[in-house]
Amino acid sequence: MPSRSANIVTHYAILIAINDYPDKPLEGCVRDAQDTKAYLESTLHDSVEVQIIVTSQSGPQSSNTIEGRRVTSLAKPRNFVYIHYSGHGTQKPPSGTFSNESTADLALVLLGGEQDKKIRCLWGFELAGLLKTMVDSGLVITLILDCCFSAGVYRRKDPSVRFLPYDSKVDSEYSSKPDQIPGDERYRDISMLPNWLVRPDWYAILAVCGPHEITIELKDADGRKHGALSYFLLKTIKCVNLTKRHGDIYDHLRPKLKAAGLRQNPVLYGNQNQGFFGQVNSDIIAVAIPIIVSKNGNLQLQAGRAHGFKTDDQLILYPLGTAEVDPRVQGNSEVAKVVCTRALTSNLERMDEDDSDDELTLADAPAIRVRTGWMARVLTRSSLQSFPIRLASGLPNLEEWLTVLRERSLEAHIDTNKHPSMFDVVLNNGEYEILDESGNIIINLPSIPQDQTNIGQIGSILEHLKMEHNTIAELVLENQGEKYLYLFIYDLGPCWQVENVNRGTYIVVPPRIDGQRARPTRKRLRMRIPDKMREEGHSSCKDILKIFVTSQPTSFDLLELPKLGGRAKTSQADRTPGEGGDGSENWAAMNFSIHISVQGDIDQ
């Protein structure tokens, strides 16, 4: 590739594609890499340097880690690095401190040597070391893995499956030391960073499937084979551009793969608000939920009772590339309501003139075809009405308060009505205060001066409240059933944040196989008192660890909230079960109350 000025290049892409394996060769990897290269160069022009490392009938190359180090030396802080791997994956039993006891050690299967095409494995801890070097250099990383690691494919003879069985003889030819990769010491109030080898805020990893699933090559309309993730990912970024958030792209891909009949569930790890391959050009906005359109035309929302949805909740539906602030301004959107809820999904119905308020009426609009991959954003949520708000009678413009809060689906009344309430809003010496049901001021809220705060801003705080140093605990998970379970862990922190502790889409908990118990899944949690609370003299705080367990992959991104004032950048567990109508969608939610003190004592 011709050399380019270091002042021009801000994006570096490493595309690794291997077709010509000695055993179980693939067909679509090189094609996918070439298509991706062509798109990146036609879109970013001289600002991108693309290195394609392919193996096909024309001969192999294996300078993958060397190329990674070269890019690290050339790139400058805040430059973007995109690594895309298409090929086989493999796994072996856990072998080191950082091994995952339930999924085993995972690896990419590379070819080493220009002539002999010898197999070599790039293990996860080696890849993590390479990523850490890049992150420590200030680079923004996107890693795509279009391969699978499932041990279940040992029994499959399909040559399109992207997996090779582990060969200890091959692995012994290359030295690797999984215990020498250092961890990172920075963490939030409760996090799983002891489980990570790299700071997750600085990169994102998109994998085509979970560690227990398989991925296969599929054929396009012209009969050419592609990797499932590579094919749909390229179509998506061509539609929405390279600066779209990872979370948005993931939410679009998930229903696309499902609608194509592929029984695999992509997994996103790391920073979902990072731009895919460039700087995000808009603020973080409300989380959107993907839509699937069935063969008979029914609209299915990929969220249900477990996510807090109820019948008659209203949503705005729009294509992923539509303006996000208000999709209705572009005219290609629909308003729909929930007509049936299940555990993890819901059926939607387009609203007509009789059902809609005047501002939502679409009867005069031309018919719009909703497609799989469209997104939905919440307009009204009846579940919020379970937390009544009492307004002090001395507040100014009480009727406006009632109107604004009810537009947000918040149930509010004036204190003279003597209704029970979860929160009270009062005015004290020129500042608004929010009290809990016992009349105590809620701590860790931002200052709310009357002359600098409008009713809508207070409504946002109330809506936030409704959703609700330095020690390590370990969460041990064991599945005693016969089917895979999916785990989601959220921290409801003392600063009113709701954060995904795992920083990944879901955790797979394997079942018993042939009557044998699977290895327990272990997750270490590091906890501390927030700096702000320690500066204010607090010596303890309370967190709630909320754990969802489901029978199918889903997403609870809708629940995430930043700390109040920030930007949307008990000993017995409280168990709330739910079950889908046909038994195929099951879920449970558990709350664990955790007390954190400066002495490191934990009550759980």
Side-chain angles (χ1 to χ4, degrees), residues 32-56:
D32 290 333
Q34 292 170 338
D35 291 346
T36 301
K37 179 177 185 291
Y39 172 73
L40 294 177
E41 291 181 337
S42 66
T43 303
L44 297 173
H45 307 292
D46 288 340
S47 67
V48 66
E49 178 181 303
V50 181
Q51 178 66 32
I52 184 168
I53 303 172
V54 303
T55 66
S56 61

PDB file of all heavy atoms in Angstrom, residues 32-56:
ATOM      1  N   ASP A  32     -15.741 -11.091   1.878  1.00  0.00           N
ATOM      2  CA  ASP A  32     -16.241 -10.107   2.840  1.00  0.00           C
ATOM      3  C   ASP A  32     -15.193  -9.046   3.139  1.00  0.00           C
ATOM      4  O   ASP A  32     -15.500  -7.853   3.235  1.00  0.00           O
ATOM      5  CB  ASP A  32     -16.660 -10.795   4.137  1.00  0.00           C
ATOM      6  CG  ASP A  32     -17.910 -11.641   3.971  1.00  0.00           C
ATOM      7  OD1 ASP A  32     -18.728 -11.330   3.080  1.00  0.00           O
ATOM      8  OD2 ASP A  32     -18.074 -12.611   4.733  1.00  0.00           O
ATOM      9  N   ALA A  33     -13.939  -9.465   3.288  1.00  0.00           N
ATOM     10  CA  ALA A  33     -12.864  -8.509   3.571  1.00  0.00           C
ATOM     11  C   ALA A  33     -12.660  -7.553   2.401  1.00  0.00           C
ATOM     12  O   ALA A  33     -12.466  -6.342   2.588  1.00  0.00           O
ATOM     13  CB  ALA A  33     -11.571  -9.263   3.886  1.00  0.00           C
ATOM     14  N   GLN A  34     -12.701  -8.073   1.186  1.00  0.00           N
ATOM     15  CA  GLN A  34     -12.524  -7.220   0.007  1.00  0.00           C
ATOM     16  C   GLN A  34     -13.675  -6.222  -0.138  1.00  0.00           C
ATOM     17  O   GLN A  34     -13.453  -5.057  -0.472  1.00  0.00           O
ATOM     18  CB  GLN A  34     -12.400  -8.101  -1.239  1.00  0.00           C
ATOM     19  CG  GLN A  34     -11.107  -8.922  -1.267  1.00  0.00           C
ATOM     20  CD  GLN A  34     -11.085  -9.973  -2.367  1.00  0.00           C
ATOM     21  OE1 GLN A  34     -12.147 -10.393  -2.862  1.00  0.00           O
ATOM     22  NE2 GLN A  34      -9.906 -10.442  -2.728  1.00  0.00           N
ATOM     23  N   ASP A  35     -14.903  -6.681   0.145  1.00  0.00           N
ATOM     24  CA  ASP A  35     -16.054  -5.772   0.079  1.00  0.00           C
ATOM     25  C   ASP A  35     -15.937  -4.668   1.133  1.00  0.00           C
ATOM     26  O   ASP A  35     -16.246  -3.492   0.868  1.00  0.00           O
ATOM     27  CB  ASP A  35     -17.360  -6.544   0.281  1.00  0.00           C
ATOM     28  CG  ASP A  35     -17.697  -7.463  -0.884  1.00  0.00           C
ATOM     29  OD1 ASP A  35     -17.076  -7.311  -1.955  1.00  0.00           O
ATOM     30  OD2 ASP A  35     -18.576  -8.338  -0.711  1.00  0.00           O
ATOM     31  N   THR A  36     -15.504  -5.039   2.329  1.00  0.00           N
ATOM     32  CA  THR A  36     -15.346  -4.058   3.404  1.00  0.00           C
ATOM     33  C   THR A  36     -14.258  -3.060   3.069  1.00  0.00           C
ATOM     34  O   THR A  36     -14.405  -1.847   3.281  1.00  0.00           O
ATOM     35  CB  THR A  36     -15.024  -4.776   4.732  1.00  0.00           C
ATOM     36  OG1 THR A  36     -16.085  -5.679   5.054  1.00  0.00           O
ATOM     37  CG2 THR A  36     -14.855  -3.769   5.849  1.00  0.00           C
ATOM     38  N   LYS A  37     -13.148  -3.540   2.542  1.00  0.00           N
ATOM     39  CA  LYS A  37     -12.042  -2.660   2.140  1.00  0.00           C
ATOM     40  C   LYS A  37     -12.510  -1.644   1.106  1.00  0.00           C
ATOM     41  O   LYS A  37     -12.219  -0.438   1.205  1.00  0.00           O
ATOM     42  CB  LYS A  37     -10.889  -3.491   1.590  1.00  0.00           C
ATOM     43  CG  LYS A  37      -9.679  -2.690   1.116  1.00  0.00           C
ATOM     44  CD  LYS A  37      -8.570  -3.625   0.649  1.00  0.00           C
ATOM     45  CE  LYS A  37      -7.301  -2.858   0.287  1.00  0.00           C
ATOM     46  NZ  LYS A  37      -7.467  -2.037  -0.940  1.00  0.00           N
ATOM     47  N   ALA A  38     -13.236  -2.115   0.107  1.00  0.00           N
ATOM     48  CA  ALA A  38     -13.709  -1.214  -0.939  1.00  0.00           C
ATOM     49  C   ALA A  38     -14.616  -0.129  -0.362  1.00  0.00           C
ATOM     50  O   ALA A  38     -14.517   1.049  -0.730  1.00  0.00           O
ATOM     51  CB  ALA A  38     -14.440  -2.011  -2.015  1.00  0.00           C
ATOM     52  N   TYR A  39     -15.487  -0.508   0.573  1.00  0.00           N
ATOM     53  CA  TYR A  39     -16.402   0.488   1.150  1.00  0.00           C
ATOM     54  C   TYR A  39     -15.642   1.504   2.004  1.00  0.00           C
ATOM     55  O   TYR A  39     -15.877   2.712   1.903  1.00  0.00           O
ATOM     56  CB  TYR A  39     -17.461  -0.205   2.003  1.00  0.00           C
ATOM     57  CG  TYR A  39     -18.309   0.778   2.761  1.00  0.00           C
ATOM     58  CD1 TYR A  39     -19.265   1.559   2.105  1.00  0.00           C
ATOM     59  CD2 TYR A  39     -18.128   0.977   4.135  1.00  0.00           C
ATOM     60  CE1 TYR A  39     -20.021   2.489   2.802  1.00  0.00           C
ATOM     61  CE2 TYR A  39     -18.886   1.908   4.825  1.00  0.00           C
ATOM     62  CZ  TYR A  39     -19.829   2.656   4.160  1.00  0.00           C
ATOM     63  OH  TYR A  39     -20.565   3.586   4.840  1.00  0.00           O
ATOM     64  N   LEU A  40     -14.724   1.040   2.836  1.00  0.00           N
ATOM     65  CA  LEU A  40     -13.989   1.957   3.704  1.00  0.00           C
ATOM     66  C   LEU A  40     -13.179   2.957   2.890  1.00  0.00           C
ATOM     67  O   LEU A  40     -13.161   4.164   3.198  1.00  0.00           O
ATOM     68  CB  LEU A  40     -13.069   1.171   4.647  1.00  0.00           C
ATOM     69  CG  LEU A  40     -13.749   0.278   5.697  1.00  0.00           C
ATOM     70  CD1 LEU A  40     -12.699  -0.485   6.493  1.00  0.00           C
ATOM     71  CD2 LEU A  40     -14.628   1.109   6.617  1.00  0.00           C
ATOM     72  N   GLU A  41     -12.521   2.481   1.853  1.00  0.00           N
ATOM     73  CA  GLU A  41     -11.686   3.389   1.043  1.00  0.00           C
ATOM     74  C   GLU A  41     -12.533   4.352   0.225  1.00  0.00           C
ATOM     75  O   GLU A  41     -12.144   5.507   0.028  1.00  0.00           O
ATOM     76  CB  GLU A  41     -10.767   2.569   0.149  1.00  0.00           C
ATOM     77  CG  GLU A  41      -9.697   1.818   0.937  1.00  0.00           C
ATOM     78  CD  GLU A  41      -8.751   1.024   0.064  1.00  0.00           C
ATOM     79  OE1 GLU A  41      -9.131   0.677  -1.078  1.00  0.00           O
ATOM     80  OE2 GLU A  41      -7.639   0.728   0.526  1.00  0.00           O
ATOM     81  N   SER A  42     -13.701   3.917  -0.226  1.00  0.00           N
ATOM     82  CA  SER A  42     -14.562   4.813  -0.997  1.00  0.00           C
ATOM     83  C   SER A  42     -15.254   5.847  -0.103  1.00  0.00           C
ATOM     84  O   SER A  42     -15.654   6.907  -0.582  1.00  0.00           O
ATOM     85  CB  SER A  42     -15.626   4.010  -1.761  1.00  0.00           C
ATOM     86  OG  SER A  42     -16.532   3.379  -0.862  1.00  0.00           O
ATOM     87  N   THR A  43     -15.377   5.546   1.180  1.00  0.00           N
ATOM     88  CA  THR A  43     -16.065   6.449   2.105  1.00  0.00           C
ATOM     89  C   THR A  43     -15.099   7.397   2.809  1.00  0.00           C
ATOM     90  O   THR A  43     -15.354   8.600   2.916  1.00  0.00           O
ATOM     91  CB  THR A  43     -16.838   5.635   3.166  1.00  0.00           C
ATOM     92  OG1 THR A  43     -17.754   4.763   2.510  1.00  0.00           O
ATOM     93  CG2 THR A  43     -17.599   6.552   4.114  1.00  0.00           C
ATOM     94  N   LEU A  44     -13.961   6.876   3.285  1.00  0.00           N
ATOM     95  CA  LEU A  44     -13.027   7.679   4.077  1.00  0.00           C
ATOM     96  C   LEU A  44     -11.875   8.238   3.251  1.00  0.00           C
ATOM     97  O   LEU A  44     -11.116   9.082   3.752  1.00  0.00           O
ATOM     98  CB  LEU A  44     -12.476   6.827   5.223  1.00  0.00           C
ATOM     99  CG  LEU A  44     -13.529   6.347   6.241  1.00  0.00           C
ATOM    100  CD1 LEU A  44     -12.903   5.378   7.244  1.00  0.00           C
ATOM    101  CD2 LEU A  44     -14.157   7.527   6.966  1.00  0.00           C
ATOM    102  N   HIS A  45     -11.697   7.740   2.042  1.00  0.00           N
ATOM    103  CA  HIS A  45     -10.685   8.257   1.115  1.00  0.00           C
ATOM    104  C   HIS A  45      -9.290   8.228   1.746  1.00  0.00           C
ATOM    105  O   HIS A  45      -8.873   7.221   2.281  1.00  0.00           O
ATOM    106  CB  HIS A  45     -11.078   9.664   0.637  1.00  0.00           C
ATOM    107  CG  HIS A  45     -12.470   9.730   0.076  1.00  0.00           C
ATOM    108  ND1 HIS A  45     -12.816   9.112  -1.100  1.00  0.00           N
ATOM    109  CD2 HIS A  45     -13.604  10.312   0.569  1.00  0.00           C
ATOM    110  CE1 HIS A  45     -14.111   9.316  -1.333  1.00  0.00           C
ATOM    111  NE2 HIS A  45     -14.609  10.037  -0.342  1.00  0.00           N
ATOM    112  N   ASP A  46      -8.574   9.372   1.726  1.00  0.00           N
ATOM    113  CA  ASP A  46      -7.189   9.386   2.191  1.00  0.00           C
ATOM    114  C   ASP A  46      -7.053   9.363   3.708  1.00  0.00           C
ATOM    115  O   ASP A  46      -5.939   9.263   4.224  1.00  0.00           O
ATOM    116  CB  ASP A  46      -6.475  10.639   1.662  1.00  0.00           C
ATOM    117  CG  ASP A  46      -6.209  10.553   0.168  1.00  0.00           C
ATOM    118  OD1 ASP A  46      -6.217   9.428  -0.361  1.00  0.00           O
ATOM    119  OD2 ASP A  46      -6.006  11.603  -0.462  1.00  0.00           O
ATOM    120  N   SER A  47      -8.160   9.445   4.428  1.00  0.00           N
ATOM    121  CA  SER A  47      -8.059   9.449   5.894  1.00  0.00           C
ATOM    122  C   SER A  47      -7.968   8.046   6.473  1.00  0.00           C
ATOM    123  O   SER A  47      -7.796   7.894   7.680  1.00  0.00           O
ATOM    124  CB  SER A  47      -9.263  10.178   6.508  1.00  0.00           C
ATOM    125  OG  SER A  47     -10.459   9.454   6.284  1.00  0.00           O
ATOM    126  N   VAL A  48      -8.067   7.011   5.623  1.00  0.00           N
ATOM    127  CA  VAL A  48      -8.015   5.642   6.113  1.00  0.00           C
ATOM    128  C   VAL A  48      -6.881   4.874   5.464  1.00  0.00           C
ATOM    129  O   VAL A  48      -6.576   5.044   4.278  1.00  0.00           O
ATOM    130  CB  VAL A  48      -9.352   4.899   5.872  1.00  0.00           C
ATOM    131  CG1 VAL A  48      -9.614   4.714   4.377  1.00  0.00           C
ATOM    132  CG2 VAL A  48      -9.381   3.561   6.597  1.00  0.00           C
ATOM    133  N   GLU A  49      -6.225   4.052   6.254  1.00  0.00           N
ATOM    134  CA  GLU A  49      -5.255   3.103   5.742  1.00  0.00           C
ATOM    135  C   GLU A  49      -5.788   1.707   6.029  1.00  0.00           C
ATOM    136  O   GLU A  49      -6.004   1.343   7.194  1.00  0.00           O
ATOM    137  CB  GLU A  49      -3.889   3.295   6.415  1.00  0.00           C
ATOM    138  CG  GLU A  49      -2.845   2.287   5.945  1.00  0.00           C
ATOM    139  CD  GLU A  49      -1.500   2.471   6.631  1.00  0.00           C
ATOM    140  OE1 GLU A  49      -0.941   3.577   6.538  1.00  0.00           O
ATOM    141  OE2 GLU A  49      -1.034   1.489   7.268  1.00  0.00           O
ATOM    142  N   VAL A  50      -5.999   0.923   4.990  1.00  0.00           N
ATOM    143  CA  VAL A  50      -6.578  -0.408   5.130  1.00  0.00           C
ATOM    144  C   VAL A  50      -5.522  -1.450   4.808  1.00  0.00           C
ATOM    145  O   VAL A  50      -4.941  -1.439   3.715  1.00  0.00           O
ATOM    146  CB  VAL A  50      -7.801  -0.595   4.210  1.00  0.00           C
ATOM    147  CG1 VAL A  50      -8.398  -1.988   4.407  1.00  0.00           C
ATOM    148  CG2 VAL A  50      -8.854   0.471   4.476  1.00  0.00           C
ATOM    149  N   GLN A  51      -5.260  -2.337   5.760  1.00  0.00           N
ATOM    150  CA  GLN A  51      -4.361  -3.468   5.536  1.00  0.00           C
ATOM    151  C   GLN A  51      -5.203  -4.732   5.521  1.00  0.00           C
ATOM    152  O   GLN A  51      -5.848  -5.061   6.516  1.00  0.00           O
ATOM    153  CB  GLN A  51      -3.308  -3.555   6.631  1.00  0.00           C
ATOM    154  CG  GLN A  51      -2.365  -4.729   6.494  1.00  0.00           C
ATOM    155  CD  GLN A  51      -1.471  -4.629   5.260  1.00  0.00           C
ATOM    156  OE1 GLN A  51      -1.111  -3.547   4.834  1.00  0.00           O
ATOM    157  NE2 GLN A  51      -1.136  -5.761   4.674  1.00  0.00           N
ATOM    158  N   ILE A  52      -5.236  -5.427   4.396  1.00  0.00           N
ATOM    159  CA  ILE A  52      -6.018  -6.639   4.280  1.00  0.00           C
ATOM    160  C   ILE A  52      -5.069  -7.836   4.318  1.00  0.00           C
ATOM    161  O   ILE A  52      -4.097  -7.907   3.554  1.00  0.00           O
ATOM    162  CB  ILE A  52      -6.887  -6.621   3.000  1.00  0.00           C
ATOM    163  CG1 ILE A  52      -7.786  -7.850   2.945  1.00  0.00           C
ATOM    164  CG2 ILE A  52      -6.046  -6.472   1.764  1.00  0.00           C
ATOM    165  CD1 ILE A  52      -8.863  -7.751   1.859  1.00  0.00           C
ATOM    166  N   ILE A  53      -5.311  -8.755   5.236  1.00  0.00           N
ATOM    167  CA  ILE A  53      -4.486  -9.945   5.412  1.00  0.00           C
ATOM    168  C   ILE A  53      -5.373 -11.143   5.111  1.00  0.00           C
ATOM    169  O   ILE A  53      -6.274 -11.475   5.886  1.00  0.00           O
ATOM    170  CB  ILE A  53      -3.937 -10.027   6.848  1.00  0.00           C
ATOM    171  CG1 ILE A  53      -3.139  -8.758   7.179  1.00  0.00           C
ATOM    172  CG2 ILE A  53      -3.079 -11.269   7.034  1.00  0.00           C
ATOM    173  CD1 ILE A  53      -2.733  -8.663   8.625  1.00  0.00           C
ATOM    174  N   VAL A  54      -5.156 -11.776   3.956  1.00  0.00           N
ATOM    175  CA  VAL A  54      -6.065 -12.819   3.502  1.00  0.00           C
ATOM    176  C   VAL A  54      -5.301 -14.098   3.217  1.00  0.00           C
ATOM    177  O   VAL A  54      -4.100 -14.091   2.960  1.00  0.00           O
ATOM    178  CB  VAL A  54      -6.835 -12.382   2.236  1.00  0.00           C
ATOM    179  CG1 VAL A  54      -7.607 -11.100   2.495  1.00  0.00           C
ATOM    180  CG2 VAL A  54      -5.897 -12.203   1.048  1.00  0.00           C
ATOM    181  N   THR A  55      -6.032 -15.204   3.288  1.00  0.00           N
ATOM    182  CA  THR A  55      -5.503 -16.485   2.827  1.00  0.00           C
ATOM    183  C   THR A  55      -6.553 -17.119   1.939  1.00  0.00           C
ATOM    184  O   THR A  55      -7.699 -17.297   2.328  1.00  0.00           O
ATOM    185  CB  THR A  55      -5.192 -17.434   3.993  1.00  0.00           C
ATOM    186  OG1 THR A  55      -6.402 -17.785   4.640  1.00  0.00           O
ATOM    187  CG2 THR A  55      -4.252 -16.799   4.985  1.00  0.00           C
ATOM    188  N   SER A  56      -6.155 -17.416   0.723  1.00  0.00           N
ATOM    189  CA  SER A  56      -7.033 -18.083  -0.238  1.00  0.00           C
ATOM    190  C   SER A  56      -6.134 -18.905  -1.144  1.00  0.00           C
ATOM    191  O   SER A  56      -4.986 -19.199  -0.817  1.00  0.00           O
ATOM    192  CB  SER A  56      -7.834 -17.047  -1.033  1.00  0.00           C
ATOM    193  OG  SER A  56      -6.960 -16.206  -1.759  1.00  0.00           O
TER     194      SER A  56
END
